Amino acid sequence: MAPAYGKNAMARTLQRVTSIDAHVRVFVAENDPGHVQIAYNVTDALSAAGKHVSLTIYPPYRNNGHELFFVVHEPYWSDLLAFLGETIGHR
């Protein structure tokens, strides 16, 4: 889940990334209004703090890329399962 911009929540969150120990994978669709920049900001902050982070930008999805994540499906689902398999293992 991404923090919202309200009351400087995003800025405060990005200042505290040093406490994150887990690998992070950021997914966003190219046509997700406003969220592409958020994805870059999060990725940059984590990377600058020396954290394990990767960013995947998917091609535009329909008229609003945010809708890509409304249901479980490709193209992101297999990427998410692969990430979880690599980081926490198959259970």
Side-chain angles (χ1 to χ4, degrees), residues 2-57:
Y5 278 106
K7 299 181 181 178
N8 291 321
M10 178 63 79
R12 286 193 316 271
T13 299
L14 294 180
Q15 291 172 355
R16 295 192 310 253
V17 298
T18 55
S19 63
I20 296 173
D21 291 326
H23 292 239
V24 176
R25 182 116 181 233
V26 180
F27 297 131
V28 68
E30 186 178 329
N31 65 329
D32 192 342
H35 289 87
V36 173
Q37 187 58 55
I38 292 170
Y40 279 116
N41 293 349
V42 169
T43 302
D44 291 347
L46 288 165
S47 183
K51 304 301 176 177
H52 297 279
V53 60
S54 61
L55 170 62
T56 301
I57 300 178

